[in-house]
Amino acid sequence: MVDPRLEVIEQRLAKVRHIVAVSSGKGGVGKSMIAAVLAMTLSRKGHRVGLLDLDFTSPSTHLILGVEGLQPEEKKGIIPPSAQGLRYMSITFYSLDEPTPLRGADVSNAIIELMSITRWGELDYLVIDMPPGISDATLDMIRLIKNIVFLLVTTPSKVAFETVRKLLMLLHRLEVPVIGVIENMVMKPSTYIRSEVEGLGALYLEAVPFDPGLEEALGDVERLLETKFAHGVRCVASVLEKQTP
Ligand SMILES: Nc1ncnc2c1ncn2[C@@H]1O[C@H](COP(=O)(O)OP(=O)(O)O)[C@@H](O)[C@H]1O
Ligand SMILES: [Mg+2]
Protein backbone atom coordinates (compact mmCIF):
# COMPACT_ATOMS: atom_id res chain seq x y z
CA MET A 1 0.00 0.00 0.00
CA VAL A 2 1.21 3.48 -0.77
CA ASP A 3 1.40 5.84 2.19
CA PRO A 4 -1.00 8.70 1.35
CA ARG A 5 1.17 11.09 3.35
CA LEU A 6 3.91 10.87 0.71
CA GLU A 7 1.80 12.76 -1.80
CA VAL A 8 0.88 15.31 0.87
CA ILE A 9 4.58 16.02 1.50
CA GLU A 10 5.05 16.96 -2.14
CA GLN A 11 2.17 19.42 -1.89
CA ARG A 12 3.45 20.85 1.40
CA LEU A 13 6.79 21.62 -0.22
CA ALA A 14 5.44 22.77 -3.57
CA LYS A 15 6.21 26.45 -2.88
CA VAL A 16 9.60 25.92 -1.30
CA ARG A 17 12.19 26.78 -3.92
CA HIS A 18 15.34 25.27 -2.44
CA ILE A 19 15.75 22.61 0.24
CA VAL A 20 19.21 22.38 1.77
CA ALA A 21 20.13 19.56 4.15
CA VAL A 22 23.12 20.34 6.38
CA SER A 23 24.65 16.97 7.03
CA SER A 24 27.76 15.09 8.11
CA GLY A 25 28.89 11.59 8.86
CA LYS A 26 29.62 12.72 12.42
CA GLY A 27 28.10 14.59 15.32
CA GLY A 28 29.75 17.53 17.00
CA VAL A 29 31.20 18.99 13.80
CA GLY A 30 28.98 22.09 13.79
CA LYS A 31 25.95 21.10 11.68
CA SER A 32 23.44 22.78 13.97
CA MET A 33 25.49 25.97 14.28
CA ILE A 34 25.96 26.13 10.52
CA ALA A 35 22.31 25.33 9.76
CA ALA A 36 21.01 27.98 12.19
CA VAL A 37 23.48 30.71 11.21
CA LEU A 38 23.11 29.94 7.50
CA ALA A 39 19.34 30.23 7.81
CA MET A 40 19.68 33.56 9.66
CA THR A 41 22.22 34.84 7.12
CA LEU A 42 19.98 34.00 4.16
CA SER A 43 17.04 35.59 5.96
CA ARG A 44 18.96 38.83 6.58
CA LYS A 45 19.84 38.88 2.90
CA GLY A 46 16.14 39.17 2.18
CA HIS A 47 15.19 35.57 1.44
CA ARG A 48 12.16 33.86 2.93
CA VAL A 49 13.70 31.09 5.01
CA GLY A 50 12.53 28.11 6.99
CA LEU A 51 14.60 26.10 9.45
CA LEU A 52 13.75 22.51 10.28
CA ASP A 53 15.51 20.81 13.18
CA LEU A 54 15.39 17.14 12.34
CA ASP A 55 17.92 15.93 14.89
CA PHE A 56 15.62 13.76 16.95
CA THR A 57 18.18 12.68 19.52
CA SER A 58 19.87 16.03 20.11
CA PRO A 59 17.93 18.99 18.74
CA SER A 60 19.87 22.19 19.40
CA THR A 61 18.88 24.98 17.01
CA HIS A 62 16.42 26.43 19.56
CA LEU A 63 19.35 27.00 21.93
CA ILE A 64 21.48 28.57 19.21
CA LEU A 65 18.72 30.95 18.15
CA GLY A 66 17.61 31.64 21.72
CA VAL A 67 13.96 30.83 21.15
CA GLU A 68 11.77 29.51 23.91
CA GLY A 69 8.12 28.80 24.48
CA LEU A 70 7.20 28.65 20.81
CA GLN A 71 4.24 26.57 19.72
CA PRO A 72 3.14 25.88 16.18
CA GLU A 73 -0.39 26.82 15.25
CA GLU A 74 -2.76 24.12 14.10
CA LYS A 75 -4.71 25.07 11.04
CA LYS A 76 -5.31 22.44 8.36
CA GLY A 77 -1.88 21.16 9.37
CA ILE A 78 0.79 22.85 11.43
CA ILE A 79 2.05 26.34 10.78
CA PRO A 80 5.67 26.76 11.90
CA PRO A 81 6.03 29.65 14.36
CA SER A 82 8.27 32.56 13.51
CA ALA A 83 11.64 32.53 15.29
CA GLN A 84 14.05 35.40 14.64
CA GLY A 85 12.33 35.95 11.31
CA LEU A 86 12.59 32.30 10.29
CA ARG A 87 9.74 29.85 9.92
CA TYR A 88 10.90 27.39 12.46
CA MET A 89 10.01 23.80 13.08
CA SER A 90 11.64 21.51 15.60
CA ILE A 91 10.94 18.13 17.07
CA THR A 92 11.25 19.82 20.50
CA PHE A 93 7.76 21.27 19.97
CA TYR A 94 6.50 17.75 20.45
CA SER A 95 9.10 16.23 22.75
CA LEU A 96 9.04 19.10 25.29
CA ASP A 97 12.59 18.63 26.57
CA GLU A 98 12.01 14.93 27.10
CA PRO A 99 14.56 12.71 25.39
CA THR A 100 13.12 11.30 22.17
CA PRO A 101 14.69 7.90 21.68
CA LEU A 102 13.23 6.50 18.49
CA ARG A 103 14.02 3.33 16.65
CA GLY A 104 14.47 3.06 12.90
CA ALA A 105 10.88 2.66 11.76
CA ASP A 106 9.65 5.20 14.34
CA VAL A 107 12.16 7.76 13.06
CA SER A 108 10.85 7.27 9.54
CA ASN A 109 7.31 7.56 10.73
CA ALA A 110 8.00 10.73 12.74
CA ILE A 111 9.76 12.33 9.77
CA ILE A 112 6.95 11.48 7.38
CA GLU A 113 4.41 12.76 9.88
CA LEU A 114 6.28 16.02 10.51
CA MET A 115 6.85 16.62 6.80
CA SER A 116 3.24 15.91 5.93
CA ILE A 117 1.67 18.16 8.57
CA THR A 118 3.96 21.18 8.30
CA ARG A 119 2.68 24.03 6.16
CA TRP A 120 5.79 25.94 5.14
CA GLY A 121 4.02 28.15 2.66
CA GLU A 122 6.22 30.11 0.25
CA LEU A 123 9.92 29.92 1.00
CA ASP A 124 13.10 30.63 -0.91
CA TYR A 125 15.13 28.29 1.29
CA LEU A 126 14.32 25.56 3.74
CA VAL A 127 17.45 24.70 5.71
CA ILE A 128 17.41 21.33 7.48
CA ASP A 129 19.60 20.49 10.45
CA MET A 130 20.10 16.77 9.91
CA PRO A 131 20.94 14.13 12.50
CA PRO A 132 24.53 12.84 12.30
CA GLY A 133 25.60 9.96 10.14
CA ILE A 134 24.16 8.13 7.20
CA SER A 135 20.99 7.35 9.08
CA ASP A 136 17.46 6.35 8.23
CA ALA A 137 16.67 10.06 8.36
CA THR A 138 19.20 10.76 5.62
CA LEU A 139 17.80 8.05 3.39
CA ASP A 140 14.22 9.09 4.14
CA MET A 141 14.81 12.71 3.25
CA ILE A 142 16.47 11.70 -0.02
CA ARG A 143 13.51 9.46 -0.78
CA LEU A 144 10.83 11.95 0.28
CA ILE A 145 12.18 15.19 -1.16
CA LYS A 146 12.99 15.16 -4.83
CA ASN A 147 14.77 18.50 -5.04
CA ILE A 148 16.87 18.20 -1.88
CA VAL A 149 20.50 19.33 -2.04
CA PHE A 150 23.18 18.61 0.56
CA LEU A 151 25.70 20.81 2.29
CA LEU A 152 28.28 18.67 4.06
CA VAL A 153 30.24 19.58 7.16
CA THR A 154 33.55 18.14 8.30
CA THR A 155 36.27 19.21 10.70
CA PRO A 156 39.97 19.17 9.77
CA SER A 157 40.20 15.73 11.40
CA LYS A 158 40.65 12.63 9.28
CA VAL A 159 38.28 10.88 11.67
CA ALA A 160 35.48 13.26 10.73
CA PHE A 161 36.39 13.44 7.08
CA GLU A 162 36.36 9.67 6.52
CA THR A 163 32.67 9.62 7.47
CA VAL A 164 31.99 12.58 5.19
CA ARG A 165 33.80 10.78 2.38
CA LYS A 166 31.36 7.88 2.70
CA LEU A 167 28.38 10.22 2.75
CA LEU A 168 29.68 12.09 -0.28
CA MET A 169 30.19 8.86 -2.21
CA LEU A 170 26.69 7.69 -1.30
CA LEU A 171 25.13 10.97 -2.43
CA HIS A 172 27.06 10.82 -5.70
CA ARG A 173 25.90 7.28 -6.28
CA LEU A 174 22.29 8.25 -5.60
CA GLU A 175 22.74 11.30 -7.86
CA VAL A 176 21.74 13.68 -5.10
CA PRO A 177 23.24 17.16 -5.67
CA VAL A 178 25.90 18.29 -3.21
CA ILE A 179 26.54 22.04 -2.92
CA GLY A 180 29.92 21.35 -1.36
CA VAL A 181 31.85 20.62 1.82
CA ILE A 182 32.53 23.07 4.65
CA GLU A 183 35.62 22.55 6.77
CA ASN A 184 34.62 23.79 10.23
CA MET A 185 36.67 24.49 13.38
CA VAL A 186 39.87 25.12 11.44
CA MET A 187 42.74 25.95 13.77
CA LYS A 188 45.73 25.90 11.47
CA PRO A 189 46.15 26.08 7.71
CA SER A 190 46.19 22.74 5.91
CA THR A 191 45.31 21.65 2.41
CA TYR A 192 44.40 18.09 3.39
CA ILE A 193 40.59 18.42 3.43
CA ARG A 194 40.49 20.65 0.37
CA SER A 195 42.50 18.24 -1.74
CA GLU A 196 40.49 15.22 -0.56
CA VAL A 197 37.19 16.98 -1.29
CA GLU A 198 38.31 18.12 -4.72
CA GLY A 199 39.69 14.64 -5.39
CA LEU A 200 36.15 13.34 -4.93
CA GLY A 201 34.86 15.81 -7.48
CA ALA A 202 33.10 18.02 -4.92
CA LEU A 203 33.41 21.71 -4.16
CA TYR A 204 35.43 22.76 -1.11
CA LEU A 205 33.31 25.65 0.15
CA GLU A 206 35.04 27.35 3.04
CA ALA A 207 37.43 26.98 5.92
CA VAL A 208 35.39 28.22 8.88
CA PRO A 209 37.75 29.02 11.75
CA PHE A 210 37.50 27.64 15.25
CA ASP A 211 35.98 30.62 17.05
CA PRO A 212 36.55 30.77 20.81
CA GLY A 213 33.94 33.55 21.07
CA LEU A 214 31.15 31.44 19.66
CA GLU A 215 29.96 29.86 22.91
CA GLU A 216 29.25 33.24 24.52
CA ALA A 217 27.16 34.30 21.55
CA LEU A 218 24.82 31.28 21.75
CA GLY A 219 21.19 32.31 22.03
CA ASP A 220 21.94 35.90 20.95
CA VAL A 221 21.41 36.16 17.22
CA GLU A 222 22.83 39.67 16.78
CA ARG A 223 26.03 38.65 18.51
CA LEU A 224 26.18 35.36 16.65
CA LEU A 225 26.01 37.12 13.31
CA GLU A 226 29.03 39.25 14.22
CA THR A 227 31.32 36.30 15.03
CA LYS A 228 34.19 35.09 12.85
CA PHE A 229 32.20 31.90 12.53
CA ALA A 230 29.26 33.79 10.98
CA HIS A 231 31.65 35.53 8.59
CA GLY A 232 32.70 32.11 7.29
CA VAL A 233 29.07 31.04 6.95
CA ARG A 234 28.31 34.21 4.96
CA CYS A 235 30.82 33.09 2.33
CA VAL A 236 29.01 29.75 2.14
CA ALA A 237 25.67 31.55 1.77
CA SER A 238 27.01 33.49 -1.22
CA VAL A 239 28.10 30.31 -2.99
CA LEU A 240 24.75 28.71 -2.18
CA GLU A 241 22.88 31.67 -3.66
CA LYS A 242 24.92 31.39 -6.88
CA GLN A 243 24.28 27.66 -7.15
CA THR A 244 20.57 27.96 -6.43
CA PRO A 245 19.31 30.81 -8.63
N1 LIG B 1 33.75 27.10 14.27
C1 LIG B 1 33.48 26.84 15.55
N2 LIG B 1 34.24 27.41 16.54
C2 LIG B 1 33.98 27.14 17.85
N3 LIG B 1 33.01 26.32 18.28
C3 LIG B 1 32.24 25.73 17.36
C4 LIG B 1 32.42 25.97 15.95
N4 LIG B 1 31.48 25.26 15.29
C5 LIG B 1 30.73 24.64 16.22
N5 LIG B 1 31.18 24.92 17.47
C6 LIG B 1 30.66 24.38 18.75
O1 LIG B 1 30.83 22.98 18.73
C7 LIG B 1 29.75 22.32 19.36
C8 LIG B 1 29.09 21.34 18.40
O2 LIG B 1 28.43 22.07 17.39
P1 LIG B 1 27.01 21.61 16.82
O3 LIG B 1 26.59 22.61 15.83
O4 LIG B 1 26.10 21.31 17.95
O5 LIG B 1 27.45 20.25 16.10
P2 LIG B 1 26.53 19.10 15.46
O6 LIG B 1 25.20 19.69 15.18
O7 LIG B 1 27.28 18.70 14.22
O8 LIG B 1 26.49 17.99 16.44
C9 LIG B 1 28.80 23.42 19.84
O9 LIG B 1 29.08 23.70 21.18
C10 LIG B 1 29.16 24.59 18.95
O10 LIG B 1 28.89 25.83 19.57
MG1 LIG C 1 23.31 19.12 15.92
Side-chain angles (χ1 to χ4, degrees):
M1 202 184 80
V2 179
D3 189 333
R5 295 176 300 181
L6 300 186
E7 202 174 306
V8 177
I9 292 177
E10 230 177 283
Q11 291 165 17
R12 295 290 194 209
L13 294 170
K15 289 177 182 159
V16 179
R17 292 179 56 217
H18 304 293
I19 303 175
V20 184
V22 179
S23 184
S24 175
K26 271 236 181 296
V29 297
K31 292 180 300 297
S32 299
M33 282 298 298
I34 287 172
V37 172
L38 177 67
M40 281 307 306
T41 303
L42 290 166
S43 167
R44 293 291 168 97
K45 287 181 144 197
H47 299 290
R48 296 163 299 177
V49 184
L51 177 63
L52 170 62
D53 193 326
L54 211 57
D55 192 345
F56 288 86
T57 44
S58 43
S60 17
T61 52
H62 59 297
L63 299 173
I64 297 168
L65 295 173
V67 290
E68 269 183 282
L70 293 175
Q71 267 306 316
E73 185 189 344
E74 292 205 29
K75 202 170 162 189
K76 295 184 185 163
I78 300 285
I79 301 179
S82 164
Q84 315 285 9
L86 307 172
R87 272 177 239 168
Y88 181 58
M89 192 67 181
S90 165
I91 189 67
T92 57
F93 294 154
Y94 302 99
S95 61
L96 301 171
D97 270 348
E98 296 292 322
T100 323
L102 292 177
R103 289 168 182 267
D106 298 333
V107 169
S108 274
N109 204 27
I111 288 177
I112 293 173
E113 190 64 29
L114 202 65
M115 297 307 292
S116 57
I117 59 174
T118 308
R119 299 178 60 192
W120 293 102
E122 288 190 27
L123 290 180
D124 297 312
Y125 291 97
L126 174 60
V127 178
I128 307 174
D129 182 14
M130 296 288 290
I134 304 173
S135 59
D136 288 336
T138 317
L139 299 172
D140 278 329
M141 293 305 273
I142 293 170
R143 176 172 69 96
L144 295 172
I145 305 178
K146 285 191 197 74
N147 56 339
I148 197 165
V149 300
F150 276 72
L151 197 62
L152 303 187
V153 184
T154 184
T155 67
S157 164
K158 257 185 200 149
V159 178
F161 183 71
E162 286 312 309
T163 69
V164 170
R165 183 199 302 279
K166 290 208 184 75
L167 180 54
L168 194 51
M169 286 164 65
L170 174 78
L171 293 170
H172 279 173
R173 202 172 311 140
L174 297 175
E175 298 178 10
V176 178
V178 176
I179 298 288
V181 180
I182 301 172
E183 184 180 8
N184 186 29
M185 306 192 196
V186 174
M187 296 210 263
K188 56 175 194 238
S190 159
T191 54
Y192 173 71
I193 298 290
R194 176 188 284 274
S195 64
E196 292 296 311
V197 167
E198 290 174 350
L200 290 165
L203 184 63
Y204 176 89
L205 286 166
E206 187 66 26
V208 177
F210 181 85
D211 182 346
L214 195 55
E215 188 66 26
E216 280 139 57
L218 283 183
D220 181 341
V221 164
E222 299 313 319
R223 237 174 119 180
L224 263 181
L225 292 176
E226 280 163 17
T227 57
K228 284 202 197 84
F229 173 85
H231 178 81
V233 173
R234 261 199 302 285
C235 301
V236 175
S238 301
V239 178
L240 178 63
E241 281 176 307
K242 286 201 194 86
Q243 287 199 31
T244 52

